[in-house]
Amino acid sequence: MKMERVNLLRYFTPTLFLLVTMFFKEMVLGVRCNQTQPILTKKRPNYSPPNTSGHDVVSNRNGRVSGGHWEYKSEIDVPYNFSYEVCMGTHIHQADCDKTVSCAGDLMNWRYYINENKPYQRFDVDGFRTRMRNRRIIFVGDSTARQQVEALIWTLGHDKVDWEVSERPRRVKGGSCHTRKFCMMDELSNIKICYQHMGTMVAKVYLDGNYTLAHASETDGDTSCLLNDKMIGDFSKFDLVFVQGVVWWAGLPKVLNSTTSPSAWVAGIVPIIYKDAMGALLSKLSQRTKTILVLGQVGASCQNKTEPEQYSLDDIPGLYNWNLAPRMWNSLLGVIEKRSLDVQVIDARDPVMQSVHAHPSSLNDCLHFCMNSAAVNIYLDIYWNEVFSNYVQAGPQKMKRNTYSWSDQQ
């Protein structure tokens, strides 16, 4: 995975000062050092049969998405047949097309089961268009969220998309900047579907504003500016906002590693920064529109894997510090519960983290999924069961809401 370069010369010095201040407050003064949530380290049972007892669970109308397992089916209805030509005519990022060429051709033949004989309900295209008609949906996250949006438009049958792309990001005095937003319209139902990158957003929100590490990419801008009030206002124009992504945060210790900021030190404070920044984002956003936090995939050990495997949070590899993810998940879930935020939590980790076989491993990519796999589409299945299928029935403000209990994590 190629990491974005960081413009340290211009932005690192003030940020380092703030990080040191925060580190002193947290670790030396001990203000909150004894209140960190426990890391999720429970071992999963052997692959077959599954056993959900004692594990973190988010239930839904169709059963438990956690604690299930994948089964291979030689004959299966697929949501779409991947085509490189279609991908090139619809993609947000060409790498998703290029990498899939190297993937096995039968990755759609896997079906997720919530128990030994009940398959998980698939995404309903007609139901989605009926219930979400005239609505606006945005997915805010890293490249894993981008892949979900691409899979969604293919599932809806689009083979050519002229993305409406917001203007190139600009930085002006005062830090007013943003990332590009990619939007398209499903004309059959007048549904606006958008994606906005939230890659290396690293911010500590103080009373007098945001302090950030800069992101030097010309295409993505300084994504830390997603926390400014204007961006919150832009998001509030959408009926549903899906927020996800811890991967780029976890990669910061490697990106910033130097004699003045050794990776071990950065790794110690990243979960704290993540909790504060994402907590501020969700607090503001959830007061204005329906907000969904998605717990999804991080990198896996995928080399030479041809079948799914039960996973343990203990076994998340340390490459790019992916194993920081449980601490970040725990800290943010603690904020949501403590503040009673009106945020729906979707836990997709079990099926996607089991899908070690569905990565383009021949290209040494154990984070992104092959776009011709059931693994990337299980996100859509979960969103249908947990969010979309309930939306119109009760109205946007009275949707059935999955309450995520901290006790499930103990």
Side-chain angles (χ1 to χ4, degrees), residues 221-254:
D222 185 346
T223 54
S224 55
C225 295
L226 284 172
L227 284 180
N228 66 34
D229 291 335
K230 179 181 183 300
M231 188 60 68
I232 297 295
D234 289 343
F235 288 156
S236 67
K237 298 174 184 177
F238 289 84
D239 299 288
L240 286 175
V241 181
F242 289 81
V243 180
Q244 56 193 295
V246 298
V247 176
W248 283 96
W249 291 78
L252 283 170
K254 184 172 183 177

Side-chain angles (χ1 to χ4, degrees), residues 140-152:
V140 183
D142 54 33
S143 53
T144 62
R146 179 191 71 220
Q147 290 195 312
Q148 297 162 35
V149 174
E150 291 169 336
L152 175 58

Side-chain angles (χ1 to χ4, degrees), residues 249-307:
W249 291 78
L252 283 170
K254 184 172 183 177
V255 174
L256 300 178
N257 183 41
S258 68
T259 55
T260 55
S261 59
S263 59
W265 179 80
V266 179
I269 62 174
V270 162
I272 300 170
I273 305 171
Y274 174 84
K275 177 187 69 174
D276 289 344
M278 292 295 287
L281 174 66
L282 296 178
S283 295
K284 294 179 179 180
L285 192 57
S286 61
Q287 295 179 47
R288 301 192 181 195
T289 190
K290 179 62 184 176
T291 305
I292 299 99
L293 173 68
V294 180
L295 310 181
Q297 87 240 42
V298 294
S301 298
C302 72
Q303 294 296 332
N304 302 316
K305 301 292 178 67
T306 58
E307 295 185 352

Side-chain angles (χ1 to χ4, degrees), residues 131-136 236 238-241 286 288-292 342 344 386-388 390-401:
R131 296 176 184 275
M132 300 307 299
R133 183 176 299 277
N134 300 322
R135 303 298 183 184
R136 294 158 297 179
S236 67
F238 289 84
D239 299 288
L240 286 175
V241 181
S286 61
R288 301 192 181 195
T289 190
K290 179 62 184 176
T291 305
I292 299 99
D342 188 18
Q344 180 177 0
E386 297 284 346
V387 182
F388 301 135
N390 299 308
Y391 191 87
V392 175
Q393 295 169 330
Q397 301 304 322
K398 298 181 180 180
M399 282 176 55
K400 172 186 171 184
R401 180 168 175 257

